[in-house]
Amino acid sequence: MREVQGQPLPLGINISGDHVNFSVAVPEGERCWLLLYRAGEEEPKERYEMTEAIGEVRFLALEGMDPADYEYNYMIGGEVTVDPYARGLAGRDIWGKERDIQKHEVRGVLKNGRYDWEGDEPLKLPFHSIVAYSLHVRGFTKHTSSGVEKKGTFSGVVEKLPYLKDLGINQIQCMPVYEFEECGRFRNYWGYGQAYYFAPKSAYAASGDGERELKDMVKACHKEGIEVVLEMPFTGDTSKQLMEECLRYYCLEYHIDGFLLNPYVAPMDAIHADPILKHTKILVHDTGFQTVMRRFLKGDEGMVRDVMYWLRHQSETKEILNMITGQTGFTLRDLVSYDGKHNEANGEQNQDGPDYNYSWNCGAEGPSRKKAVTELRKNQTRNAFFLLLLAQGTPCILAGDEFGNTQKGNNNVYCQDNPVGWLDWSGLEKHPELHDFVKELIAFRKKHPVFWPEKEMTGMTYSKKGVPDVSYHGENAWRVPLEVSSRQLGVYYSGTDRTGEGDEDCFVAYNMHWLEHTFALPALPRGKKWYRIASTQEGILDKAEPLDDQKFAEVKERTIMIFSGR
């Protein structure tokens, strides 16, 4: 092994056969050494002072070495420093084990990057066709009820792919999967904060090899027609250059289909202009849909105009997801079971977590055996899924909502690495009817293109029938109920699209009031009739039922009904 002329870019390591280039940013005036370790050892075997510099970048290269035999760190200013561009870390394969970098217990790994992708590539599914599912890789299968062999790992997610595919999911969105530090005053279960962003978390790998198992998971997902999106919540002090390089790296090295970013931190304009990243899915959290639909669900007044907007809205840059619930906040079951957060177990006197949840406990705080309360909660849960899956944008389901998972009123489980934060799969046995309802509703959405058009509907007419692509109604046809007191809305979707082709006409009657309301049904073209095809209480009907009255429909309190014009 001998030292040869190195290159300042790219930062990090660059391996070509037995030639390895090392490059790292070092504060001006500080000395820097490259520390080389035999793989698995915690004492450096070799030290090389890095004197070559351009600006604040130090670099050198070594020839005649087998990268797989070595690990590395830097000594900068008298402190052991892990390369922020490290592609993998040794010594962090055991979750929750505290490690001391200064004692060389954490080291960067050198790998040649060879992996058999078997022809795999990102799926590039049309954005409007996505039904997404948000999960935490560890929490998704860590619970004893998960039934998988390799709990809490990338491999555990792979074991659950048949379930996700059967449900109708074609995209998973994963909370941070890179090397974050979970040990601290409180357990960093979610993974936010400073991290080694280029290195997949080895504690999420059953074999300890995070790089290989993340690739295995992505490849397995793609074989099932499921995209993989990674949440990358970089900290505010992360350089814009590192963020862009990191996203490109995951696109190229891991075939990732998209990223969920914090638009207040990430350089969104540069990312959208990047020749590689501009062709991947770039998503952001937006609480607009969530807030409006939660308030409409619980019966707040003055919501109809905003509901109309969010039912048809599609972001021009296709960044925004529609979510009723997410990792931050209540699960859906808790949303209809608690008026206030219950985060006492977090050790912060219930001061953490969002205070405004727009939730409603349906008459009792927390678990209840009262039949009226439990039935109302079931009803509201179904209404929530209707609001989510009948809206025009891209829906994203929080893992476990489809079978009533609860966090016992905790709306900020960032530190709950235990059954409170993990997904309890026993809900599938306790609430099979909810799971089946959600599965059928996803299939219903996919069957009816009027609920997932490629372009946002405009309210304009595209057919000879003279009917707009979308129109809004109330107790009178063609009259929008915009009074402040209104808590009901009828939405008529014309089945004829811009090309003259399309779907059946559909009319959705949303009654979020605590009183029954009559909805006027728009007149259909000659030869067609209105049929009831779904409702909150009945779910998706096996057989459409023709209406006796073709002009009006009675819709019970806190109920959503779907009618089809055939």
Side-chain angles (χ1 to χ4, degrees):
M1 183 164 48
R2 65 190 183 91
E3 184 175 347
V4 295
Q5 179 64 46
Q7 298 294 327
L9 293 176
L11 290 170
I13 61 168
N14 187 38
I15 301 174
S16 179
D18 68 347
H19 180 282
V20 183
N21 190 81
F22 299 85
S23 178
V24 63
V26 178
E28 188 174 359
E30 297 284 4
R31 299 181 71 181
C32 175
W33 282 265
L34 169 66
L35 308 180
L36 280 185
Y37 311 78
R38 284 289 185 182
E41 296 182 1
E42 295 181 359
E43 286 296 328
K45 179 177 176 57
E46 306 284 350
R47 296 171 185 257
Y48 296 88
E49 185 166 10
M50 302 177 71
T51 56
E52 289 289 327
I54 294 181
E56 292 190 349
V57 176
R58 308 285 180 89
F59 52 93
L60 66 77
L62 298 174
E63 275 187 351
M65 65 182 297
D66 184 347
D69 292 339
Y70 291 92
E71 295 160 358
Y72 76 107
N73 277 327
Y74 298 107
M75 179 74 74
I76 301 175
E79 291 192 353
V80 179
T81 303
V82 177
D83 183 3
Y85 283 78
R87 300 174 186 176
L89 297 186
R92 300 191 66 164
D93 55 320
I94 300 176
W95 171 270
K97 180 181 178 181
E98 294 191 21
R99 296 133 300 200
D100 190 338
I101 292 176
Q102 300 310 310
K103 294 180 180 179
H104 311 279
E105 292 176 353
V106 179
R107 305 164 302 281
V109 299
L110 299 173
K111 294 185 178 180
N112 59 23
R114 295 191 186 98
Y115 180 80
D116 184 5
W117 278 103
E118 303 179 72
D120 175 84
E121 57 185 24
L123 295 180
K124 297 182 180 179
L125 299 178
F127 198 96
H128 66 288
S129 71
I130 298 295
V131 178
Y133 191 87
S134 175
L135 60 85
H136 183 286
V137 167
R138 178 173 169 82
F140 187 53
T141 61
K142 186 62 179 175
H143 199 280
T144 56
S145 63
S146 68
V148 305
E149 179 184 353
K150 299 174 181 178
K151 294 178 174 59
T153 66
F154 297 122
S155 296
V157 174
V158 173
E159 291 182 65
K160 285 293 186 183
L161 289 182
Y163 168 82
L164 294 173
K165 187 175 182 179
D166 179 70
L167 184 61
I169 300 302
N170 57 9
Q171 182 186 92
I172 61 171
Q173 299 180 359
C174 304
M175 293 189 77
V177 300
Y178 45 68
E179 284 286 9
F180 58 85
E181 178 56 74
E182 68 269 17
C183 298
R185 181 187 172 198
F186 299 112
R187 175 73 77 229
N188 182 15
Y189 169 59
W190 277 350
Y192 295 160
Q194 293 183 337
Y196 301 98
Y197 300 111
F198 289 81
K201 193 160 185 63
S202 54
Y204 281 1
S207 66
D209 187 343
E211 178 183 5
R212 174 167 290 277
E213 286 199 21
L214 176 57
K215 290 177 179 178
D216 287 345
M217 186 190 82
V218 173
K219 184 167 66 173
C221 285
H222 287 173
K223 286 182 178 179
E224 297 298 335
I226 297 174
E227 291 187 333
V228 178
V229 169
L230 300 184
E231 183 177 5
M232 302 292 288
F234 300 104
T235 57
D237 58 355
T238 306
S239 75
K240 302 296 189 285
Q241 177 189 357
L242 185 148
M243 292 185 206
E244 292 182 64
E245 288 184 23
C246 184
L247 299 182
R248 284 195 293 267
Y249 177 71
Y250 277 99
C251 278
L252 298 174
E253 187 70 20
Y254 290 92
H255 295 195
I256 296 302
D257 299 277
F259 302 96
L260 189 55
L261 304 177
N262 181 347
Y264 301 105
V265 173
M268 302 302 288
D269 290 342
I271 289 170
H272 283 300
D274 185 274
I276 292 176
L277 298 177
K278 71 193 304 182
H279 296 293
T280 193
K281 292 182 171 72
I282 303 298
L283 310 172
V284 299
H285 280 306
D286 185 290
T287 59
F289 179 91
Q290 181 183 87
T291 298
V292 168
M293 293 308 180
R294 285 186 176 191
R295 294 187 64 189
F296 187 52
L297 176 68
K298 72 187 186 74
D300 282 1
E301 63 182 13
M303 301 307 302
V304 170
R305 192 182 298 275
D306 289 337
V307 169
M308 291 166 54
Y309 171 81
W310 282 109
L311 282 176
R312 76 163 186 262
H313 178 69
Q314 293 189 24
S315 171
E316 290 185 8
T317 54
K318 299 183 178 179
E319 295 177 335
I320 296 174
L321 299 165
N322 289 346
M323 303 180 74
I324 294 287
T325 54
Q327 302 291 346
T328 299
F330 284 139
T331 67
L332 183 52
R333 180 176 174 183
D334 290 354
L335 185 72
V336 299
S337 302
Y338 295 90
D339 277 354
K341 62 184 180 180
H342 294 268
N343 299 352
E344 291 81 6
N346 294 356
E348 299 184 51
Q349 291 78 50
N350 205 33
Q351 298 301 305
D352 62 303
D355 291 319
Y356 295 96
N357 297 283
Y358 306 105
S359 60
W360 178 43
N361 65 19
C362 296
E365 189 72 357
S368 174
R369 294 184 179 180
K370 295 180 179 179
K371 185 175 181 180
V373 172
T374 57
E375 289 300 314
L376 181 53
R377 288 175 178 175
K378 289 179 182 178
N379 191 81
Q380 288 291 82
T381 298
R382 290 188 169 208
N383 282 337
F385 275 112
F386 269 128
L387 290 169
L388 176 65
L389 290 165
L390 298 183
Q392 303 282 292
T394 302
C396 183
I397 297 170
L398 175 63
D401 275 355
E402 74 275 14
F403 52 75
N405 187 59
T406 178
Q407 293 171 175
K408 305 184 187 307
N410 192 319
N411 73 355
N412 190 35
V413 297
Y414 76 98
C415 60
Q416 296 297 324
D417 178 35
N418 53 53
V420 172
W422 301 339
L423 201 59
D424 184 353
W425 288 86
S426 66
L428 270 176
E429 298 179 1
K430 297 175 182 176
H431 307 288
E433 72 290 341
L434 175 57
H435 167 271
D436 293 346
F437 166 80
V438 176
K439 176 182 173 179
E440 291 173 3
L441 185 54
I442 292 173
F444 175 86
R445 174 187 173 91
K446 292 181 177 181
K447 182 180 178 181
H448 292 278
V450 293
F451 296 115
W452 50 287
E454 184 175 357
K455 301 289 185 180
E456 182 171 318
M457 292 183 173
T458 63
M460 297 179 65
T461 300
Y462 296 97
S463 70
K464 296 179 181 179
K465 295 185 301 181
V467 179
D469 54 1
V470 62
S471 54
Y472 304 96
H473 310 262
E475 295 188 3
N476 296 299
W478 306 101
R479 181 180 178 278
V480 183
L482 291 177
E483 298 82 5
V484 172
S485 60
S486 293
R487 295 169 172 86
Q488 63 273 4
L489 175 68
V491 186
Y492 178 23
Y493 297 100
S494 172
T496 305
D497 61 20
R498 293 171 172 82
T499 67
E501 302 295 331
D503 187 13
E504 299 173 334
D505 290 356
C506 286
F507 185 87
V508 185
Y510 298 91
N511 182 14
M512 297 295 98
H513 203 186
W514 48 87
L515 301 175
E516 182 177 286
H517 281 274
T518 299
F519 285 75
L521 299 171
L524 288 167
R526 181 174 297 178
K528 288 189 174 183
K529 291 184 178 182
W530 285 115
Y531 292 76
R532 188 173 80 256
I533 56 177
S535 73
T536 303
Q537 286 77 25
E538 301 162 301
I540 310 300
L541 299 180
D542 294 331
K543 183 178 180 181
E545 297 185 359
L547 302 185
D548 294 331
D549 187 340
Q550 288 288 310
K551 294 184 177 180
F552 297 96
E554 298 290 336
V555 181
K556 293 182 179 179
E557 66 275 10
R558 301 193 186 279
T559 294
I560 298 172
M561 281 191 175
I562 309 176
F563 306 94
S564 175
R566 302 179 177 180

